[in-house]
Amino acid sequence: MEAKRGFPLFRHVRYDLFIEDTENNIYDIEIENEGRSLNERAIVYSSTLIAQRMKTNEKFESLKDTWVIFLTKKDMEKGYEPYYDYKWFDPKGQRLLSRKAAIRFVNGQYRNDDAFGKLMHDFHCTDPDQMYYDELREIVKYLKKDPEGVKIMCDIMNEAERL
């Protein structure tokens, strides 16, 4: 083996949405329309998220919970579940290695008549008047129909394109 200097410490990962809760747990939420290499991307994103959070000389036991959540367009597992959770198990699947790192694939095709199915309906709904949830309906109406909201949304999209 040959030791090399200057080996990159992290691959650059651009998170779609990064959230930190009041207990310092972190969440990376990814909007995914393709489905290519999702399992591999989930592992890379989860590992990078953890590594970026650890401070020099910080004890490993202090690691906070991390979640990588992919909102997928299609039912990746074809089990018609609202979501699929993955954790780190030993090869025989009998012992959980860590509870601190979780990966979830949210099924964007799920449409049961429950709260989650209604939320997935609203996420894909193009007409705010057809939405179930008042909070989403009102903000979508504002951003799509109100001239002030439309300008705000256009400004956000222009800024995102520049990044």
Side-chain angles (χ1 to χ4, degrees):
M1 288 186 138
E2 178 184 347
K4 294 186 177 188
R5 292 180 184 259
F7 186 76
L9 185 56
F10 296 113
R11 174 189 163 113
H12 174 72
V13 172
R14 181 177 168 198
Y15 304 114
D16 287 351
L17 179 60
F18 180 85
I19 300 169
E20 183 173 0
D21 68 19
T22 56
E23 296 174 4
N24 297 319
N25 299 313
I26 51 177
Y27 308 82
D28 165 32
I29 301 177
E30 298 292 318
I31 309 299
E32 188 54 53
N33 289 320
E34 294 291 320
R36 293 177 297 175
S37 307
L38 279 189
N39 295 343
E40 292 79 8
R41 282 184 54 210
I43 295 297
V44 168
Y45 280 46
S46 180
S47 300
T48 304
L49 201 60
I50 293 166
Q52 288 175 336
R53 289 294 290 187
M54 294 295 297
K55 295 178 178 56
T56 305
N57 298 324
E58 185 176 3
K59 294 187 184 303
F60 292 110
E61 296 82 20
S62 68
L63 180 66
K64 298 294 184 179
D65 289 350
T66 61
W67 282 84
V68 174
I69 302 168
F70 280 90
L71 303 176
T72 63
K73 186 175 185 176
K74 296 182 178 178
D75 185 352
M76 304 308 293
E77 296 293 329
K78 298 179 179 27
Y80 205 67
E81 296 293 329
Y83 55 85
Y84 305 96
D85 285 335
Y86 295 90
K87 301 214 182 237
W88 303 72
F89 286 93
D90 71 3
K92 294 180 182 175
Q94 298 174 2
R95 189 173 58 98
L96 185 63
L97 177 63
S98 174
R99 296 185 194 286
K100 297 294 183 178
I103 296 169
R104 176 173 283 179
F105 293 107
V106 175
N107 177 2
Q109 288 182 313
Y110 185 80
R111 296 289 191 284
N112 271 10
D113 193 30
D114 56 16
F116 199 84
K118 290 176 180 177
L119 181 63
M120 288 298 101
H121 167 271
D122 285 4
F123 278 177
H124 292 86
C125 197
T126 56
D127 180 1
D129 293 326
Q130 300 297 314
M131 292 181 160
Y132 290 104
Y133 290 102
D134 296 337
E135 298 87 353
L136 283 175
R137 182 184 318 110
E138 294 309 313
I139 192 67
V140 170
K141 268 187 186 178
Y142 174 70
L143 293 173
K144 286 188 168 224
K145 295 185 176 185
D146 185 282
E148 182 181 326
V150 170
K151 181 185 179 327
I152 290 169
M153 194 66 207
C154 287
D155 292 344
I156 289 169
M157 292 306 294
N158 288 334
E159 180 64 26
E161 288 175 1
R162 283 193 287 270
L163 296 176

